[in-house]
Amino acid sequence: MKVVSWHELKPADRLWLSFRGAFDPKANLEAALEPFLQTLEANAGGWMPDVIKGKRSRKYSRAAVWKSLDERRDGESTSIGLYRTRAPALDMTLTLWSDASPELKLMFHVQPLSVFSGVEDCDGLVEMVRAWAAHYPVTHCWAHSMADDELAGGPYFGRDLQTTVQDGFDRIYELSWLNIFGPKLVETVGRERLLSTPAHRVEALPHGAILLVTWPTAADFASDEARQAQARAFVHLRPELDYATVLRTLRERSAALAPVEPRFPPDVAGLLERTLERTAFSQRSRRIAELNAWTPPEPEEWLPASACLPMDVEDAQREQEHYAYLAERCVALLHTEVPSVFQETPESLTDADAYFWKEEFPQTRSREAIEEHAVPAVGAYLGEVLVRNLGGQWIPRRKLEEAQVRVGQRVWLPFLRARRYLRSNPSLLDYSLTQLYRVAARFQS
């Protein structure tokens, strides 16, 4: 049962929700989880999960939930995943702990965040969380833009993992769009102070918790009006903070998340788009701006045809067969992750560039292995693509770095390009295989 992957959707921000509440492990499981599931089914609407995953995937049903929880039980805990088979994408994890501190823990992401642009959808989410808090006494709960939370330093907020696990959300490090503060944090901040917070919605809940929503809609968190409301509420709860400073920081985060239109160099535009796949959405605009301002150096691995190095080998056919063998080694290296290398096309060069970048290949392999194996294989593969697609002709040389492929009025040095290409991770973009091919194609005639 195929579920929607983030990578299948247009890059976008996500709603990130975390809920932690008390859970009675002695109660009948189905009865204990009835309020959770009933509230989810009544309020999730367009992002309701339709797949349950325990040890295997099943279509959503109450029976599937019980079966999956049972088969994933491991000592004092059990955990299941809930997903969707169509957009919007959902990644939800429900975990039940029955140890010394029994707990129901829920974390989920919904992409895109724009699902929560309307007041009705956001009210439904707030009511859902409010109902959960009434049945499962809350330690802490929040929902907010994932990208903005990352820019704010969440979820650690400058602490190491051990300290974060030990202390939890022991103070108000940041204020999310939706917040439920458990009794311990209410006591720390002050109940009257919390209840008097200037915010869109503030409400006392059962078991001593307090719900706070800063703005009517989650997706509008970065607007200046929403930021002002967030800053007012945050400073009210943390009076030692300065309003102007807090608002300036929030506005800087909004600016960092503002969309930036890609204006990449045409020869490598497709490759640069691929490199963004590994960039967190919170850093995407900044990275696009950096790439817009970057221009790869013009390829220097060529000579005029009139100045090409003459063939200095006795058997040209044997040398060309050797280059073909080296290219096959490149195919053997990449074919699992980059199936297109079998085709020896321009597109396969871009796929290879993207793979080497994603793997940080020059940084994660030994220099000796790169020089001895990867450089000859990649250089030969680049040369074979020039021969196959541009009508190129090998001009063999004893030294691999001097071997040339003639295309039109230029001869290209693919092995020299490969050595420069595999020097470092930045070199993968500065000396991409894709760019050399595209420049060579312009000089084909």
Side-chain angles (χ1 to χ4, degrees):
M1 195 174 298
K2 188 177 184 301
V3 301
V4 179
S5 165
W6 310 122
H7 300 298
E8 296 172 350
L9 304 176
K10 182 180 178 180
D13 198 359
R14 308 172 190 171
L15 181 87
W16 185 2
L17 183 143
S18 173
F19 179 96
R20 303 183 73 159
F23 177 76
D24 183 1
K26 297 178 182 178
N28 174 274
L29 182 62
E30 295 186 18
L33 282 182
E34 171 66 23
F36 173 80
L37 296 174
Q38 183 178 31
T39 303
L40 175 67
E41 293 163 0
N43 292 280
W47 55 271
M48 176 67 193
D50 56 10
V51 173
I52 304 290
K53 187 173 182 181
K55 288 188 175 179
R56 68 180 184 85
S57 296
R58 299 177 174 88
K59 185 178 179 180
Y60 179 89
S61 69
R62 293 292 183 89
V65 171
W66 313 137
K67 178 67 175 176
S68 299
L69 284 169
D70 183 61
E71 69 186 16
R72 285 294 303 272
R73 187 169 298 281
D74 181 14
E76 296 180 324
S77 70
T78 182
S79 178
I80 58 172
L82 298 93
Y83 309 95
R84 287 177 53 79
T85 56
R86 56 192 180 277
L90 171 71
D91 187 344
M92 178 183 291
T93 302
L94 172 65
T95 304
L96 303 176
W97 294 90
S98 56
D99 56 8
S101 301
E103 184 179 53
L104 180 152
K105 181 179 178 182
L106 178 75
M107 185 166 294
F108 70 76
H109 303 92
V110 177
Q111 182 177 324
L113 178 62
S114 58
V115 168
F116 301 97
S117 297
V119 172
E120 184 177 346
D121 291 318
C122 291
D123 286 347
L125 177 65
V126 173
E127 289 305 316
M128 179 181 70
V129 175
R130 180 180 178 278
W132 287 343
H135 288 93
Y136 311 102
V138 169
T139 305
H140 183 231
C141 171
W142 52 266
H144 195 60
S145 151
M146 182 175 178
D148 194 51
D149 190 72
E150 289 174 352
L151 291 180
Y156 299 149
F157 301 107
R159 302 170 293 172
D160 58 40
L161 176 59
Q162 182 177 352
T163 302
T164 303
V165 172
Q166 175 182 305
D167 296 343
F169 203 81
D170 58 336
R171 62 178 296 192
I172 301 178
Y173 295 94
E174 278 288 335
L175 197 62
S176 300
W177 167 72
L178 180 154
N179 312 261
I180 299 183
F181 304 112
K184 186 175 180 180
L185 194 53
V186 169
E187 181 181 354
T188 299
V189 176
R191 187 172 185 82
E192 292 306 315
R193 177 170 290 278
L194 267 164
L195 288 173
S196 63
T197 304
H200 170 65
R201 179 172 177 177
V202 181
E203 181 180 348
L205 301 181
H207 315 296
I210 292 178
L211 176 141
L212 188 155
V213 180
T214 61
W215 193 250
T217 55
D220 197 31
F221 75 94
S223 70
D224 200 59
E225 295 83 358
R227 287 305 200 187
Q228 292 179 48
Q230 185 181 3
R232 285 193 296 270
F234 192 24
V235 170
H236 174 84
L237 297 173
R238 292 275 305 275
E240 77 278 12
L241 300 177
D242 174 67
Y243 173 79
T245 302
V246 170
L247 182 58
R248 183 171 62 251
T249 299
L250 294 177
R251 284 171 168 166
E252 288 171 354
R253 293 197 332 230
S254 292
L257 294 172
V260 175
E261 189 69 25
R263 296 187 305 276
F264 300 152
D267 285 342
V268 291
L271 171 59
L272 298 186
E273 285 284 355
R274 298 279 294 276
T275 67
L276 291 173
E277 294 172 3
R278 296 194 63 213
T279 303
F281 189 81
S282 60
Q283 303 297 321
R284 184 178 176 88
S285 292
R286 179 188 63 80
R287 181 60 177 160
I288 290 174
E290 290 175 352
L291 293 174
N292 282 345
W294 170 81
T295 301
E298 281 295 313
E300 297 179 347
E301 300 80 13
W302 64 275
L303 295 168
S306 59
C308 74
L309 302 174
M311 183 175 64
D312 63 354
V313 299
E314 295 181 359
D315 190 335
Q317 180 65 30
R318 184 177 64 185
E319 289 302 315
Q320 291 178 46
E321 290 173 356
H322 179 58
Y323 300 153
Y325 163 73
L326 291 175
E328 288 175 2
R329 287 172 57 181
C330 184
V331 173
L333 171 68
L334 300 180
H335 75 277
T336 300
E337 299 293 335
V338 190
S340 64
V341 292
F342 285 113
Q343 309 304 319
E344 293 185 348
T345 62
E347 292 74 22
S348 71
L349 294 178
T350 302
D351 292 342
D353 284 334
Y355 169 78
F356 284 126
W357 171 263
K358 180 183 71 173
E359 290 292 302
E360 298 183 348
F361 194 88
Q363 314 302 128
T364 56
R365 273 67 172 182
S366 74
R367 180 47 47 185
E368 181 182 2
I370 288 174
E371 292 291 337
E372 184 176 348
H373 301 293
V375 168
V378 171
Y381 186 83
L382 173 59
E384 289 290 290
V385 173
L386 294 172
V387 169
R388 177 185 290 261
N389 296 274
L390 299 180
Q393 177 184 5
W394 279 108
I395 303 175
R397 296 279 295 178
R398 291 174 186 171
K399 292 183 178 180
L400 276 184
E401 277 200 8
E402 295 179 355
Q404 303 147 98
V405 175
R406 178 168 181 163
V407 177
Q409 298 305 306
R410 287 188 175 187
V411 292
W412 299 90
L413 300 150
F415 294 102
L416 178 58
R417 181 72 170 192
R419 173 159 282 113
R420 291 172 174 170
Y421 172 71
L422 291 168
R423 276 193 311 215
S424 67
N425 228 46
S427 296
L428 295 174
L429 298 186
D430 287 339
Y431 301 99
S432 71
L433 310 180
T434 298
Q435 186 205 15
L436 184 136
Y437 177 88
R438 292 188 179 278
V439 174
R442 289 202 290 274
F443 288 90
Q444 184 177 6
S445 58

